[in-house]
Amino acid sequence: MSTNPPFLRALPWLARPGARAWRCEPAPAAARAFHAALPDYAPTPLLELPQLAAELGIGRVFVKDESCRLGLPAFKALGAFWAVHRTLVERAADNKELGSVTLVTATDGNHGRAVARMARLLGQHAHVFVSHSVHPQAVAAIAAEEAKVTQVSGPYDEAVRLAAEAASSPDAVLVQDTAWAGYERVPGWIVEGYSTLCSEVDEQLAAEGVVEGPDLVAVPVGVGSLAQAVITHYRSRPLRYAPALLSVEPEAAACVLESLTAGEIVSVTTGETSMAGLNCGTPSSLAWPYLRGGLDASVAVTDCDSARAAADLAAAGVSSGPCGAAALAGLRAALTGVGAEERRTALGLGPSSVVVLLSTEGTAANPHSTTDL
């Protein structure tokens, strides 16, 4: 551990010139139509926080509040519901009749609960592997969805490995939100599901008079699936509408920052963090080309940074757990302290800039935050 005072400690930060010019194909529109047809669907709020804009010396700050999404306390239902739908539709087409299926997944919390919720709604089974850091209340919430829960003594990556092994039987299917070589189709559907969030932001900003979109979007990152969806959305638009994109991770699990620094996917040994859902050691192979191509900058923050951000959001009326608050913590770290002017320039931010923070979960997710992004 560094003995330097906080104001002298180097910020874990990487800026990547030229990322705004990187381009990709847009996400399919089918996921948004699917979500809109669900009985509990409604766009989550986009709230403006003028006090944060004044503090940080920028024009406007908006927070996308995912504390209640399709009846669950995090954005994860968007990806899980769409991926389960696609999986079962294709399975039924292949087998002519669906029958009983067990949906298997690993999670640090909310993804597993969302898969279990969809399984219960559709009359199917769910088997969820949870890593050792998952809070007992989060485990209980998954079990309350009538899922079988297997607790793993190791970290998230170990839970993923065991879930993949358990899904090898003919009546089981893996619905995992991280990808690796040979397993990318279902994670791709999950990423498509997250695109609904980005489309909502466009519409809500336009209603606030921001017709050309934001100047920066800050997104919390675990394995990178949500970031992939955000990058896909904004890097498939005309260049003049391309915002800066900032990823935020815990210092205890900065696998994307380390991979970007190395120029290739690397695995890191994760430590303990209150941002449990971001406590992932390896980026998704599906997300990696997008992270490498389209991220303008990456920053890692401490648990104290996240706790302060969560308290500030709560004071402003936004329910945000440690993972969701990481977006504000990362923006604040980037725009304040030693070297802030250089980082502000790298992000292209000025006194009239518009920033969107993705608060990916509410405090009801569980006391120690479990989002596994």
Side-chain angles (χ1 to χ4, degrees):
M1 179 180 294
S2 172
T3 58
N4 289 332
F7 60 87
L8 294 179
R9 187 174 60 87
L11 181 68
W13 158 269
L14 179 68
R16 311 181 62 251
R20 227 165 299 190
W22 187 81
R23 285 293 171 269
C24 62
E25 292 298 312
R32 178 70 186 278
F34 166 78
H35 290 135
L38 295 174
D40 293 335
Y41 172 76
T44 54
L46 184 73
L47 306 173
E48 184 169 8
L49 302 183
Q51 65 273 34
L52 285 179
E55 173 199 331
L56 297 171
I58 50 182
R60 304 178 77 177
V61 173
F62 294 89
V63 177
K64 183 64 167 166
D65 179 0
E66 291 292 312
S67 60
C68 185
R69 171 66 80 173
L70 293 168
L72 293 171
F75 80 104
K76 280 291 180 174
L78 290 172
F81 283 21
W82 175 243
V84 169
H85 168 74
R86 289 295 308 269
T87 297
L88 296 184
V89 165
E90 295 212 354
R91 188 179 177 93
D94 291 342
N95 298 337
K96 306 305 180 185
E97 60 179 86
L98 181 58
S100 180
V101 175
T102 298
L103 304 174
V104 183
T105 196
T107 190
D108 271 338
N110 286 317
H111 171 72
R113 185 177 177 187
V115 171
R117 170 70 62 88
M118 192 60 164
R120 179 171 64 80
L121 292 174
L122 297 175
Q124 301 296 338
H125 306 288
H127 185 183
V128 181
F129 289 76
V130 298
S131 59
H132 72 94
S133 61
V134 177
H135 194 277
Q137 290 185 25
V139 177
I142 296 169
E145 302 289 350
E146 303 176 10
K148 176 183 177 181
V149 178
T150 297
Q151 295 184 271
V152 176
S153 59
Y156 173 77
D157 290 1
E158 176 69 4
V160 171
R161 184 183 68 80
L162 294 174
E165 291 178 358
S168 60
S169 63
D171 63 345
V173 60
L174 185 66
V175 185
Q176 197 57 58
D177 56 348
T178 188
W180 54 87
Y183 183 75
E184 295 184 331
R185 194 178 193 190
V186 173
W189 290 334
I190 289 173
V191 172
E192 288 178 10
Y194 298 156
S195 66
T196 292
L197 184 158
C198 299
S199 297
E200 290 176 1
V201 169
D202 284 349
E203 295 161 4
Q204 291 166 321
L205 283 177
E208 295 287 341
V210 185
V211 295
E212 294 188 354
D215 297 297
L216 181 139
V217 179
V219 54
V221 171
V223 298
S225 296
L226 176 60
Q228 180 186 346
V230 172
I231 293 165
T232 299
H233 183 77
Y234 289 107
R235 297 298 183 242
S236 60
R237 308 171 95 186
L239 184 59
R240 66 183 182 277
Y241 300 130
L245 303 177
L246 171 68
S247 70
V248 186
E249 300 170 280
E251 288 190 4
C255 65
V256 170
L257 176 58
E258 293 296 331
S259 296
L260 291 173
T261 301
E264 61 183 3
I265 291 180
V266 298
S267 296
V268 301
T269 300
T270 59
E272 295 298 320
T273 174
S274 63
M275 293 171 276
L278 307 183
N279 197 7
C280 304
T282 308
S284 165
S285 66
L286 186 65
W288 172 242
Y290 295 82
L291 302 171
R292 180 182 58 199
L295 280 176
D296 292 85
S298 180
V299 66
V301 297
T302 68
D303 286 0
C304 288
D305 296 332
S306 175
R308 178 192 171 198
D312 290 343
L313 289 171
V318 179
S319 170
S320 186
C323 290
L328 171 56
L331 178 68
R332 182 177 273 152
L335 300 188
T336 61
V338 176
E341 287 306 314
E342 292 84 354
R343 294 190 292 271
R344 193 178 294 259
T345 298
L347 295 172
L349 296 183
S352 63
S353 296
V354 176
V355 171
V356 172
L357 307 175
L358 302 186
S359 178
T360 51
E361 60 168 10
T363 54
N366 79 65
H368 286 201
S369 175
T370 49
T371 305
D372 44 319
L373 310 175

